[in-house]
Amino acid sequence: MKKTLFLLGLIIFIIIGCKEKDPGQGDLQIKFKHLIDNKEIIYDSMMYINAAENTYQVTEVKWFLSRVTLFKKGGDIIEIEENDGIHYIDTKIESTLLWNINQKIEAGEYDSIRFIFGFNAQDNIPNRFVNQPETSMAWPLTLGGGYHYMMLNGKFKSMDESIAAMNVHMGIGQIYEGTTYSVDSIISFVHNHFNVTLSKPFTIEKDQKKTISIVMNVENWFQNPHIYNHFQWGSHIMQKQDAMLMLKENGWDVFSLNVE
């Protein structure tokens, strides 16, 4: 009898101990901000100068991130499962600038967040989206298909001071045979997505909502390690893999993380 009571007490103790160790769950929302020189962008204003001394303005920024993953102190990894961790951001659609993640997140201390800028080859498939505004981001099938990773649209001053379109679009690149950009001469495609890891501690508390902000520092697309010159690359780069590769390699410090 004493042995039975002892075992019963031990089981109750273990159950209570496990409950006490359960950290609970909270909610996470992500804000998206777009800055130039650490200030909010003033859109449609020809007031910015990049590292190549091109004068430019920004009309809108549209982009995707995907496969969002949270890293908890101690090594646990939390993947955002909602729509494969994909979210569309559009500076002209205010509702896209705040992502209330539809998934309970284990409470605790986190070290960092990681995401893919754009899509990996597995996720970047034609007709993935059937509604606007995401469908407007479709990348031409003849150029590789899937979707734009980003549309950074605006204008810049040409060398003769005339105003030219600035359509800095990133997606699947192409390798051409010869020196023309004819789609008939495409011999292979290049996936220009890349991983972004933002290391900054934040805490998700039980039954509370945590807000963090992913910031795109737009000027960094055009500098470090490469000086991107609009005079060289012109208004459109969807068929210019060298330009997209330059932007990809400049992307290492485009994004930062703010914690509220």
Side-chain angles (χ1 to χ4, degrees):
M1 183 65 176
K2 289 182 179 180
K3 185 176 180 180
T4 301
L5 290 173
F6 173 78
L7 291 173
L8 181 60
L10 181 61
I11 292 171
I12 293 173
F13 175 79
I14 292 172
I15 292 173
I16 293 174
C18 288
K19 286 184 177 179
E20 289 177 347
K21 292 179 181 179
D22 182 1
Q25 296 177 321
D27 295 301
L28 178 66
Q29 65 176 8
I30 302 177
K31 291 182 179 179
F32 297 92
K33 299 180 179 181
H34 303 81
L35 308 180
I36 295 179
D37 298 329
N38 295 317
K39 296 179 181 179
E40 291 190 13
I41 295 173
I42 300 176
Y43 292 96
D44 298 313
S45 178
M46 190 72 71
M47 60 179 290
Y48 299 108
I49 300 175
N50 66 14
E53 299 187 355
N54 305 137
T55 301
Y56 71 100
Q57 69 182 49
V58 176
T59 301
E60 61 188 356
V61 187
K62 307 176 182 182
W63 60 287
F64 285 101
L65 80 170
S66 61
R67 298 291 174 180
V68 178
T69 304
L70 308 176
F71 293 86
K72 198 172 184 184
K73 285 186 177 180
D76 290 343
I77 297 174
I78 308 295
E79 294 183 352
I80 303 305
E81 299 172 355
E82 179 183 356
N83 194 28
D84 294 327
I86 295 170
H87 184 70
Y88 170 69
I89 302 101
D90 188 328
T91 56
K92 286 192 171 181
I93 303 177
E94 188 173 357
S95 61
T96 67
L97 303 178
L98 180 64
W99 183 14
N100 283 295
I101 295 174
N102 186 27
Q103 177 179 332
K104 291 295 181 181
I105 308 297
E106 184 177 302
E109 297 182 1
Y110 288 80
D111 288 319
S112 57
I113 181 171
R114 184 180 69 197
F115 60 86
I116 293 175
F117 171 74
F119 305 93
N120 61 26
Q122 174 186 342
D123 292 332
N124 196 18
I125 54 176
N127 302 316
R128 181 183 186 104
F129 303 103
V130 296
N131 298 312
Q132 289 281 6
E134 291 89 345
T135 52
S136 67
M137 296 287 282
W139 191 263
L141 287 173
T142 53
L143 300 182
Y147 292 85
H148 286 73
Y149 306 159
M150 178 179 72
M151 291 184 181
L152 172 56
N153 293 328
K155 298 177 182 179
F156 71 94
K157 284 187 179 180
S158 300
M159 295 183 70
D160 62 2
E161 295 294 306
S162 63
I163 304 301
M166 183 189 78
N167 297 325
V168 180
H169 293 185
M170 290 184 68
I172 295 176
Q174 316 84 35
I175 303 299
Y176 294 83
E177 185 175 39
T179 58
T180 70
Y181 288 122
S182 168
V183 295
D184 295 329
S185 64
I186 294 174
I187 56 176
S188 64
F189 294 102
V190 181
H191 296 278
N192 289 305
H193 63 277
F194 57 90
N195 287 316
V196 177
T197 299
L198 304 176
S199 298
K200 194 168 190 177
F202 60 93
T203 302
I204 294 178
E205 299 181 1
K206 182 179 179 181
D207 300 326
Q208 300 295 316
K209 180 178 287 187
K210 184 65 179 180
T211 301
I212 61 176
S213 297
I214 292 176
V215 180
M216 179 189 287
N217 303 283
V218 169
E219 76 278 4
N220 287 349
W221 286 117
F222 305 134
Q223 60 191 18
N224 196 11
H226 308 292
I227 302 299
Y228 183 99
N229 192 328
H230 294 300
F231 297 164
Q232 176 183 1
W233 298 113
S235 294
H236 309 280
I237 63 169
M238 289 179 67
Q239 291 182 261
K240 300 174 182 177
Q241 171 55 25
D242 288 346
M244 284 191 280
L245 177 61
M246 179 179 289
L247 292 165
K248 174 183 176 179
E249 293 180 351
N250 284 353
W252 71 273
D253 68 343
V254 162
F255 298 96
S256 56
L257 184 67
N258 290 340
V259 177
E260 298 184 7

